[in-house]
Amino acid sequence: MPKLKRSESDERATDFVESLDRGLRLLQCFGATAGPMTLSDLARAADLPRATARRMLLTLQRGGYVSGDGKLFSLTPHVLTLATSYLRSSQIIAVLQPVLDRIAIAAQEISSLAVLDGDDVVFIARGGPTRIFSGGLEIGYRLPAFCTSVGRAMLGQFDDADLAARLNAMNRQALTPQTETDPKALLARISADRAQGYSLVDREAEPHFRSISVPVRRYDGVIVAAINMGAHVDRVPAQELLDRFLPLLRDGAEAVRSQLL
């Protein structure tokens, strides 16, 4: 009897390693609260049976990613090797870091690089007038894409139909009194930002902060990231973002286009 060919869905199901998925899910649960967590709390947060969570934690402990006494568990610094591997292997960071530093020195403000991750943006690099930072968004910090200038700059890569579907499906909880949450209004704003080539968001993600961003495109025009600069509303007016920051951001994004594959 001839051997039946497996379908792509069958192959995907076979290739999926459920235990690895559970272990990674468990690692992510540590960020929910500060300090050590109990086995029961972690199992509940990861939606896993207690016995399964215990086996996962003991495996992670043997690998050096978790420490614990059997009752309370914490992440170890070794878990940072996972993030470091991404940061060191990312072509976007390698290419953009000198640009961020140059822009930051020219403007005497912090500049940031972000990528889209589902419905969120994640900040993966930043530059400053000095290498010692006193403020700004930390690397790894996440924010909703719909209400941030970097997020809107990257959401502009989708056509209006796809964008409308994404906006309707995502959680659009207001972060400040100024946050726009209406999907039709957001669609109009992001479409306008796409046309003008930048996004300016005023106090929608943080109460006293405004920022401006431009998309970063690779060699073929596809948007792969966004770079931004921002400041406290009492210190930098919106017009200064347009007059002083926007040209620097545009020049920086254009300068690396041919280098991104």
Side-chain angles (χ1 to χ4, degrees):
M1 185 174 178
K3 200 171 184 179
L4 294 176
K5 186 177 179 181
R6 291 192 303 171
S7 66
E8 288 187 10
S9 59
D10 289 337
E11 289 180 356
R12 285 195 296 267
T14 303
D15 292 340
F16 181 76
V17 181
E18 187 175 11
S19 58
L20 177 59
D21 177 68
R22 288 176 169 180
L24 293 172
R25 214 162 73 218
L26 199 59
L27 282 177
Q28 291 176 311
C29 291
F30 279 96
T33 61
M37 296 181 69
T38 66
L39 171 59
S40 297
D41 288 340
L42 286 164
R44 192 180 306 111
D47 193 24
L48 293 173
R50 195 173 185 276
T52 301
R54 179 179 178 277
R55 290 197 302 273
M56 297 293 172
L57 286 168
L58 293 178
T59 301
L60 291 168
Q61 188 171 1
R62 179 171 294 185
Y65 296 101
V66 169
S67 64
D69 58 6
K71 295 181 179 179
L72 292 174
F73 296 88
S74 302
L75 293 180
T76 71
H78 189 58
V79 79
L80 293 175
T81 59
L82 300 175
T84 302
S85 295
Y86 168 75
L87 295 175
R88 287 180 176 171
S89 64
S90 172
Q91 184 205 29
I92 296 175
I93 297 174
V95 172
L96 265 297
Q97 187 63 62
V99 173
L100 296 176
D101 293 338
R102 185 169 68 247
I103 291 173
I105 291 171
Q108 288 299 294
E109 300 285 353
I110 291 173
S111 61
S112 300
L113 169 68
V115 293
L116 196 62
D117 185 22
D119 293 340
D120 294 339
V121 295
V122 183
F123 291 86
I124 59 174
R126 62 178 185 166
T130 65
R131 279 295 182 179
I132 301 175
F133 301 104
S134 59
L137 298 174
E138 298 292 336
I139 292 174
Y141 194 75
R142 304 177 73 93
L143 283 170
F146 80 94
C147 63
T148 57
S149 63
V150 284
R152 290 181 184 173
M154 288 185 282
L155 288 172
Q157 69 187 279
F158 303 106
D159 62 36
D160 284 353
D162 288 342
L163 181 56
R166 289 179 70 99
L167 290 171
N168 281 311
M170 68 176 57
N171 178 14
R172 302 182 307 279
Q173 182 178 355
L175 300 185
T176 76
Q178 283 75 33
T179 305
E180 179 61 70
T181 60
D182 179 72
K184 291 184 179 179
L186 287 168
L187 177 61
R189 291 191 185 186
I190 296 171
S191 297
D193 290 348
R194 182 201 299 135
Q196 65 189 7
Y198 69 88
S199 176
L200 194 160
V201 171
D202 197 342
R203 295 168 293 171
E204 292 193 51
E206 297 182 58
H208 307 292
F209 191 82
R210 57 170 61 106
S211 69
I212 189 167
S213 299
V214 300
V216 174
R217 299 178 183 273
R218 67 186 188 196
Y219 75 100
D220 56 0
V222 173
I223 295 173
V224 294
I227 53 177
N228 90 322
M229 302 187 79
H232 195 281
V233 294
D234 292 337
R235 189 167 59 81
V236 178
Q239 191 60 45
E240 186 174 349
L241 268 64
L242 294 169
D243 296 341
R244 192 160 68 91
F245 295 172
L246 181 57
L248 293 171
L249 292 168
R250 279 179 163 164
D251 289 347
E254 187 58 34
V256 300
R257 183 165 176 166
S258 64
Q259 303 175 52
L260 295 172
L261 305 178

